[in-house]
Amino acid sequence: MSGGELKDLSETDCPECSAKIRIPSDAIDGEIVTCPDCGTGFELEISGSGTVTLKQAESVAEDWGE
Ligand SMILES: [Zn+2]
């Protein structure tokens, strides 16, 4: 992991390719954003403290979170 905390709501790094993804200032929890670089879609998870986490929208996943 590189970077650590995501403090700015306006921009964050793509977990896939590290490109900058712009987050609308009025983004809501569950909103979908798309990386302009790799085209991966992410679902925003916004915590009560305002921390933004990107969750891959098209998850194939095992649940490895939490
Ligand atoms: Zn990307």
Side-chain angles (χ1 to χ4, degrees), residues 13-21 34-42:
D13 290 332
C14 175
E16 289 296 307
C17 70
S18 297
K20 296 293 185 187
I21 301 178
T34 304
C35 176
D37 217 61
C38 67
T40 305
F42 297 100

Side-chain angles (χ1 to χ4, degrees), residues 17-56:
C17 70
S18 297
K20 296 293 185 187
I21 301 178
R22 295 195 65 92
I23 310 294
S25 56
D26 61 346
I28 56 169
D29 189 52
E31 185 162 331
I32 302 294
V33 295
T34 304
C35 176
D37 217 61
C38 67
T40 305
F42 297 100
E43 185 179 334
L44 296 181
E45 270 187 350
I46 304 177
S47 75
S49 54
T51 305
V52 176
T53 305
L54 296 182
K55 233 175 50 176
Q56 206 155 349

